[in-house]
Amino acid sequence: MTEPASAETASVRNPSARLIDGKAFAANLTQDIAREVRAFHDRHQVTPGLAVVLVGNDPASEVYVRNKALQTHRTGMRSFMHMLPETTSQAELLALVGRLNHDPEIHGILVQLPLPAGLDPIAITNAIRPDKDVDGLGEVNAGRLALGQPGLVPCTPLGCLMLLKAELGELRGLHAVVIGASNLVGRPMARLLLAEGCTVTVAHIDTRDPAALARQADILVVATGCNGLVRADWIKPGATVIDVGITRISLPNGKTRLVGDVAFDEAVTRAGRITPVPGGVGPMTIACLLNNTLAAARRIVGGAA
C-alpha cells in the first residue's frame, strides 16, 4: 500500500483540492465559546464545569485528556480531572459518576474511552445523567438523535457536520456515504446527515463493495481506523472527503507520523475538498466537547439550549 503523503506535500503537488482547515475552524469556535462563557457567567454568576475521568495509564488518552483540560481553561470554564488507577472497580467508577451527577459545579461529564478490561463502557456511559452527557453517547441522547429530537450530540460527528456546513452550505439532496458504523462516529454521523436532508448510505465491515458505494458520494466520511483504506479510485471527482481516522505509523528513519483512513496523496488529486490528518477533524472534537459543555450548562442552569 502506498504510504499517504503529508497534507503540506500533497497540497503543493496538487492545489486543486481545497484543504479543510479544522484547526483554524476549531480555534474560531473556541473563541466564540469563550465569549459565550463570559456572557453566561455575567447572566447567571455560574462558570460551566467539565469533569473528565481517566481510568488507567494509556499514554494517548493521557495526552488527550490533558489537552482537554488546557482547552477548557482557555475558554474560562472549570476543569475537574479524575485520574483513577487501572485497578478501579466497576462499583468505584459508578460511585464517582454518581457523585459527579449530583455535583452542582459539574455541568458536563466525560469518561474517557477505551476503559480497561473488566469495566463495562455501556453501563458507565449510561450512568451519566443525560443532561451532563457531553459525549452524547448515552442511550438517552443517542435515542434523541435517532428520533430527531434535541439532545447532546457526539463531539466528533458534530465537528464533522460543522465543517461540512461551513464548506458546502446547504447539504439537502446531497448523497453522503459514511464508511464505518461505530456508535462513536459512524451511526451518529449518518443520523446527523439524514437530519440535514442528505441521502445517506452507511458502509461497514460486511459491505461487499464499499468502493462502489463511495464512488457515488458527494460527501464521503471515513471513520474505520484502517489507515490508507480509501484510495483515489474510491472517490467521486470533486467530492468532499472528511477523514476521521488517525493512526500513528512508524517510518523507515525511526520517526513516526500521523495518517488517516484516506490515502491523502492520492485522494487530493480527486477530491474537491478534503480534511488533512492531522489538522482536520481532530481539533474539532475538543472544540465541540466545550460547545456541548456550555450547552449543558445552559440547559441545567438557564433552562434553555
Side-chain angles (χ1 to χ4, degrees), residues 175-179 193 199-203 210 213-222:
H175 185 189
V177 174
V178 180
I179 303 180
L193 289 166
T199 299
V200 181
T201 302
V202 179
L213 294 176
R215 281 190 285 270
Q216 302 173 31
D218 303 304
I219 297 169
L220 182 62
V221 182
V222 190

Side-chain angles (χ1 to χ4, degrees), residues 185-200:
V185 180
R187 293 172 190 263
M189 186 78 251
R191 290 171 182 137
L192 287 172
L193 289 166
L194 188 63
E196 293 294 325
C198 293
T199 299
V200 181

